[in-house]
Amino acid sequence: MSTRQIRWSASPELTALLRRYYNGEAELWGEVQASVHRELMARGLAVFPRHLRFRRTETGYEVMVEDAEEYLTGL
């Protein structure tokens, strides 16, 4: 696991967006990103390039956010 990875359970609203996105509504990606960005801002986290991943759970999705440079370089 990355030392800079942040994880949380997706809200019901983000879960609904992700379900639609993964069912073929690719145009929702901007809304998904905006939702994650709002959550990061609400947590008081600095804005920098990030890599987003989502893992399906029994109740929705887990959000996993990593520093993009660290993700690409493995450093």
Side-chain angles (χ1 to χ4, degrees):
M1 181 173 93
S2 167
T3 58
R4 296 187 202 183
Q5 187 179 73
I6 303 161
R7 293 176 178 224
W8 69 86
S9 294
S11 68
E13 295 81 12
L14 179 54
T15 294
L17 267 177
L18 287 167
R19 285 183 177 143
R20 290 176 55 202
Y21 173 77
Y22 285 123
N23 280 323
E25 294 184 54
E27 68 277 3
L28 294 176
W29 182 241
E31 287 183 54
V32 169
Q33 289 177 308
S35 178
V36 171
H37 183 80
R38 283 190 300 274
E39 179 65 28
L40 291 169
M41 297 288 287
R43 292 170 181 246
L45 298 170
V47 175
F48 58 86
R50 299 178 189 278
H51 174 74
L52 305 179
R53 292 189 300 150
F54 305 96
R55 180 170 292 141
R56 206 159 124 183
T57 67
E58 289 181 18
T59 58
Y61 286 88
E62 179 180 27
V63 180
M64 295 168 284
V65 181
E66 299 169 299
D67 177 289
E69 184 174 340
E70 183 176 316
Y71 176 78
L72 290 173
T73 64
L75 298 176

